[in-house]
């Protein structure tokens, strides 16, 4: 008999009835939990009384490995953090090491990084909407459309970096290799073809009454709670808080691009989180068009950049980027040796997961599944 | 009016259903065993050792400098240096690996070894149908060695650049050698 | 053309002729039963494969095409797989009920086909109260679902069964109410009489089907929505398609019993679609006078497959409703609309006696106006209010 | 000849189900046997060519009332088997006696009635149209009364089912929560 919850939170909106509490364990290999993630849900009648997330099933000791290997050897491991957006993981790590060792980055490499980062954001948001609809029972049709577009972008990544998902493409002071011939035109073509896909996606879903009925008013995340819990990314913006690291830090060359930051309209429920991501996809397309248009010629890797036995001077650095799921940060302490003394990651999925219970109280089980889907977590990043 | 969104959704899937019969963009499945997508030029799966000339063992470019063994993130390369030295393409006397094993189970095909190798002796292969019935997954020197022609086939632009650089060095070395004896004789 | 139309009836009489006179009715009934079961058995097999292929095509992929030409032998492969799969019965399960549940589900559904008129005088039994028989048989499936959910002695299947019963009961009311207007128009409960009432062509080319009247159109839509819910298909596939209750009352079933449940579900869908075609789409009537030379059972098959495609189409597109929204939708939207539709249908039939010139148009306008107004009014007052359209702004 | 055999068969089936509904140990089995008995009764009506009554019986009893009984059994958690006590109470003799008396009371007037001597006149097959007309003309008042009664019952059910916090305690401290707060083991 598991220990009963010490103290039950205030009742959710649904009226309490004096049924007995029913313990339901969802996961770890449950059809709708985005990987190995388990939730112990205590049900009172139909509504959720208590929800304890249990994760750690995918822990691979990433940080200890990185502290044992050289700085260069950690890059392939960052691909496997958030295995959907490997390029942005590389970028966050490489940004931090450049800040630690003070390495300059040529302009062409910065443009390539922006292009590759925004492409990653595009198919990550498309996949999130697809999986959310599949949790809602739309039997994979939106997911198939999202995957169709994702394939085009992954082919571009394979032509560029050699591998579809585990790109291992960024290096300290630039990128590993230059754009192959004709890649730029292909990329412009894929970006242009994304607009009709988005209209098709919106036509299929955004006005769908069943989708609106299932998601509006469900899993509301008040802005105050979002800020206190450290939620970042589309989830935070859906709650109406204007915080986008691309605008705040202006890292890389984001200040050269004109793009807007969409905010939630009704205090951050599941529908807002879905719509903010759709609108963000349109903004990413705008950035892509500008970046692909004015990418300069020139060197793609800083000539003085040292690939092997990089030994940054002793010190510490915290670099962060606006990853598709939120603020992905790396905190490195160097003691002058070939390997980082301390290598810490701030995973956006894990931090966004902490508010799962507050959003699920009082809702039915069917909503818990959707709320989890709307937070958009990837277990590789949560467990590291 | 209630139901308009659902109708638009139905029209969308209906258009996809009809489109899949005539519009290639709406039917994207590649029937794998029969049809195969043309492999990308930069694709990388498992590493292989390049050798010049005909004899795989004699022509190996690898000089057992073990840089790749140190830099490999997954530590899946094991090299045992040979005792006797042999001349390389520049005529310099170099060691050669007696044993060069890559554990294919551990290798995550990241390509770091290719970047750090100073002698262009290890490159990334493109073959991805690696299923086999035996459990022999530690690739030895014999299975790893592949000819330069094969390398030029799978990565044409990259191989051309590498060969041009090597020919350039060979020409410079020969020119230096031709000039060097002049100094010795007086 | 009568020969081709009556080909099944004539072959039946010729075959029954071999039997001795006394046993002739019994033999002909057995032949009909064998024919219907063979027809709808293959229809079930075809439906599974065509559904998966159509879903595939809507999702930009092929759907099964490896087993046999265009994947047509896939149902045979599925059937063999189901037969070979081990039939696990949980230890704590109630053995008798666990075994009986699939039977109690599929047997009544086979009976429902006895009443449907597949062509001119081609219905197995001409019952005076055919449609009442149909709904009486349909109501036995709830018992079977309960037996399945209860006998598995497992928390999830019981929850799934309770939800399924709640859904089926609350959608049986609009199903029956939506079919009553067709009975009023035909003035009889027997299905062949209803199809007969829909024969003939108004204004020369518009067939006199119920669906071409305001109450008929609304009734047809209500009937289809209630039919999807009754046969647990998307967007109401709550009981077994649930992403959190695993497979609802089907959790503890495997092997051939699991296949029997699917047979029962598909046959239920075929029966309800057959009824929808009979009540609203004029059964086996041809859509235009110059098309009447085609066999009548051909028209029934065409309309039948069109509706089945509609169900599959909805399954590919629509997400699932939550249980409370589903029940609200039934009681607060479908039932009131069905009652209003009933009133409009009665008014339509009564106003049939108006002789002045523009009578038809006025009756049409009145009927359609009342129904549209109630549709929009009820839509607005739906539980969560009208799903709001939101205006998204950007940070300054 | 076929009719008699099928009638006796059906009657035996119905009586057997009715007895089983009383005698079985597990409450859910009894409920289902009761449903089977209703179905048997419906088949007997059909055998007498009373289609409308037969299908109505099937629709109302097997479709609705059987489910009602089953839900009642389920929701009151009364499904545990009887604790192994004797099936029949000790004073079963008096029970049988009362049953026989009741049977006699029913049978005697039927046997004594004159219509049994010279066979019932061939009643016209009751078509649905005739039943409809009868309902709407001669028996319209009882029909309306039954309608009103059913609506009242429906409204009563809705009022009972409205969920309000049980007997006045605040939503926050229903018994389930007190138990959880005081750390008592949850009744899973």
């Amino acid at each position: 008999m598991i220990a009963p919850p010490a103290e039950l939170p205030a009742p959710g909106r649904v009226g309490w009835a004096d049924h007995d509490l029913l313990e339901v364990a969802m996961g770890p290999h449950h059809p709708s939990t985005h990987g190995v993630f388990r939730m112990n849900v205590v049900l009172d009648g139909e509504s959720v009384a208590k929800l304890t997330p249990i994760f750690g099933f995918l822990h691979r000791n990433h940080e200890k490995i990185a502290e044992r290997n050289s700085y260069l050897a950690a890059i392939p491991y960052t691909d496997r953090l958030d295995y959907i957006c490997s390029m942005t993981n590389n970028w966050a790590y490489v940004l931090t090491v450049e800040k630690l060792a003070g390495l300059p980055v040529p302009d062409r490499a910065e443009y390539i990084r922006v292009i590759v980062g925004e492409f990653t954001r595009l198919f990550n948001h498309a996949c999130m909407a697809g999986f959310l609809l599949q949790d809602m029972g739309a039997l994979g049709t939106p997911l198939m459309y999202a995957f169709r577009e994702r394939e085009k972008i992954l082919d571009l990544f394979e032509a560029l970096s050699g591998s579809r998902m585990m790109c291992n493409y960024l290096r300290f002071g630039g990128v590993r290799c230059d754009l192959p011939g004709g890649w730029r035109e292909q990329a412009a073509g894929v970006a242009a073809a994304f607009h009709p896909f988005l209209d098709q996606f919106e036509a299929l879903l955004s006005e769908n009454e069943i989708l609106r009925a299932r998601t509006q008013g469900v899993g509301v995340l008040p802005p105050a709670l979002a800020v206190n819990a450290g939620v970042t990314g589309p989830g935070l913006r859906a709650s109406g808080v204007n915080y986008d690291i691309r605008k705040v830090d202006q890292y890389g060359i984001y200040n050269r691009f004109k793009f807007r930051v969409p905010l939630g309209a009704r205090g951050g429920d599941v529908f807002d989180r879905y719509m903010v991501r759709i609108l963000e996809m349109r903004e990413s397309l705008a950035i892509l068009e500008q970046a692909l248009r004015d990418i300069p010629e020139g060197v793609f890797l800083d000539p003085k950049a040292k690939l092997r036995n990089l030994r940054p001077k002793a010190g510490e650095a915290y670099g962060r980027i606006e990853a598709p799921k939120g603020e992905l940060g790396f905190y490195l302490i160097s003691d002058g040796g070939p390997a980082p003394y301390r290598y810490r990651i701030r995973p956006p999925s894990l931090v966004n997961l902490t508010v799962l219970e507050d959003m699920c109280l009082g809702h039915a089980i069917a909503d818990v599944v959707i709320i989890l889907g709307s937070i958009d977590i990837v277990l590789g990043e949560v467990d590291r | 009016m209630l139901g308009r969104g659902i109708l638009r959704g139905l029209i969308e899937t209906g258009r996809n259903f009809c489109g899949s019969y005539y519009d290639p963009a709406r039917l994207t499945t590649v029937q794998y065993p029969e049809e195969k997508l043309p492999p990308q030029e930069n694709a990388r799966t498992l590493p292989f050792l390049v050798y010049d000339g005909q004899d795989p063992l004699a022509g190996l470019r690898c000089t057992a400098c073990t840089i790749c063994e140190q830099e490999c993130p997954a530590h899946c390369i094991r090299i045992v240096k040979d005792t006797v030295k042999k001349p390389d393409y520049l005529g310099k006397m170099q060691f050669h690996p007696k044993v060069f094993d890559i554990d294919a189970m551990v290798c995550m095909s990241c390509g770091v070894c290719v970047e750090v190798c100073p002698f262009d002796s290890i490159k990334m292969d493109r073959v991805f149908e690696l299923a086999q019935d035996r459990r022999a997954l530690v690739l030895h020197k014999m299975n790893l060695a592949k000819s330069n022609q094969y390398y030029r086939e799978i990565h044409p632009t990259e191989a051309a650049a590498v060969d041009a650089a090597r020919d350039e060095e060979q020409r410079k070395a020969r020119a230096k050698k031709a000039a060097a004896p002049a100094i010795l004789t007086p | 053309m009568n020969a081709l139309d009556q080909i099944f009836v004539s072959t039946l009489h010729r075959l029954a002729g071999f039997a001795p006179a006394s046993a002739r009715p019994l033999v002909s009934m057995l032949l009909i039963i064998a024919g219907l079961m063979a027809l709808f058995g293959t229809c079930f097999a075809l439906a599974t494969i065509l559904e998966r292929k159509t879903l595939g095509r809507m999702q930009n992929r092929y759907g099964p095409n490896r087993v046999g030409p265009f994947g047509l032998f896939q149902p045979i492969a599925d059937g063999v797989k189901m037969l070979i799969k081990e039939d696990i019965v949980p230890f704590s399960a109630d053995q008798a009920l666990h075994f009986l549940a699939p039977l109690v589900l599929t047997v009544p559904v086979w009976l429902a086909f006895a009443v449907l008129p597949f062509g001119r005088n081609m219905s197995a039994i001409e019952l005076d109260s055919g449609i009442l028989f149909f709904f009486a048989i349909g109501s036995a499936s709830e018992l079977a679902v309960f037996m399945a959910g209860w006998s598995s002695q497992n928390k999830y299947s019981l929850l799934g069964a309770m939800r399924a019963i709640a859904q089926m009961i609350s959608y049986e009311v609009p199903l029956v109410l939506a079919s009553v207007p067709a009975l009023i128009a035909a003035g009889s409960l027997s299905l062949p009489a209803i199809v007969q009432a829909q024969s003939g062509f108004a204004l020369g080319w518009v067939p006199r089907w119920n669906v071409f009247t305001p109450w008929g159109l609304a009734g047809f839509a209500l009937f289809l929505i209630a039919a999807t819910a009754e046969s647990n298909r998307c967007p109401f596939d709550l009981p077994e398609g649930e992403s959190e209750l695993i497979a609802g009352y089907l959790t503890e079933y495997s092997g051939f019993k699991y296949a029997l449940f699917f047979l029962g579900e598909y046959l239920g869908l075929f029966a309800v679609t057959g009824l929808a075609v009979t009540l609203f789409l004029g059964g086996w009537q041809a859509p235009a006078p110059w098309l009447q030379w085609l066999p009548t059972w051909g028209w029934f098959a065409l309309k039948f497959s069109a509706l089945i495609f509609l169900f599959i189409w909805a399954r590919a597109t629509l997400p699932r409703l939550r249980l409370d929204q589903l029940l609200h939708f039934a009681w607060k939207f479908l039932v009131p609309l069905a009652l209003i539709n009933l009133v409009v249908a009665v008014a339509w039939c009564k106003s049939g006696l108006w002789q002045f010139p523009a009578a038809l148009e006025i009756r049409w306008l009145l009927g359609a106006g009342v129904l549209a107004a109630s549709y929009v009014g009820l839509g607005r007052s739906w539980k969560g209010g009208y799903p709001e359209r939101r205006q998204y702004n950007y940070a300054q | 000849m076929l009719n008699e055999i099928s009638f006796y068969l059906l009657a035996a089936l119905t009586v057997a189900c009715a007895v089983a509904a009383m005698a079985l140990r597990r409450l859910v089995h009894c409920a289902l046997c009761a449903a089977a008995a209703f179905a048997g009764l419906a088949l007997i009506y059909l055998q007498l060519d009373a289609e409308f009554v037969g299908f109505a019986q099937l629709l109302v009893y097997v479709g609705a009332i059987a489910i009602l009984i089953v839900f009642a059994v389920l929701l009151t958690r009364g499904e545990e088997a009887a604790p192994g006590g004797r099936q029949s109470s000790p004073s079963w003799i008096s029970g049988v006696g009362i049953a026989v008396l009741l049977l006699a009371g029913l049978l005697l007037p039927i046997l004594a009635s004159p219509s049994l001597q010279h066979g019932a006149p061939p009643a016209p097959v009751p078509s649905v149209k005739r039943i409809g007309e009868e309902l709407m003309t001669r028996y319209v008042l009882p029909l309306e009364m039954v309608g009103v009664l059913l609506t009242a019952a429906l409204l009563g059910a809705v009022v009972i089912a409205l969920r309000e916090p049980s007997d006045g305690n605040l939503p926050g401290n229903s018994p389930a929560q007190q138990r959880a707060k005081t750390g008592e083991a949850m009744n899973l």
Side-chain angles (χ1 to χ4, degrees), chain D residues 39-66:
Chain D
L41 211 57
L43 292 180
I44 291 174
Y45 285 146
L46 289 180
Q47 222 233 323
L48 298 172
D49 282 345
E51 279 169 17
F52 185 79
V53 179
F55 295 143
Q57 155 94 354
L58 203 59
L59 187 65
V60 170
Y61 276 86
V62 173
I65 293 189

Side-chain angles (χ1 to χ4, degrees), chain C residues 94 96-97 126-129 132-133 135-137 139-140 142-143 146-147 150 153 158 162 165-166 169 172 187 189, chain D residues 26 28-29 32 35 46 51-56 58-59 62-64 66-67 70-71 74-75 79 126-129:
Chain C
D94 192 330
L97 286 190
E126 256 124 43
L127 272 181
D128 189 13
S129 52
L132 195 58
F133 168 82
F135 287 128
I137 290 294
S139 66
E142 279 118 9
L143 262 181
F146 165 73
M147 283 163 67
W150 163 258
Q153 294 291 353
L158 195 58
M162 303 277 264
I165 294 172
I169 286 183
E172 208 166 321
L189 281 180
Chain D
R26 301 200 55 171
V28 171
H29 290 192
L32 291 175
L46 289 180
E51 279 169 17
F52 185 79
V53 179
F55 295 143
L58 203 59
L59 187 65
V62 173
I67 296 282
V70 150
F71 261 55
L74 222 53
L75 294 183
E79 80 282 9
S127 84
V128 176
K129 189 177 280 296

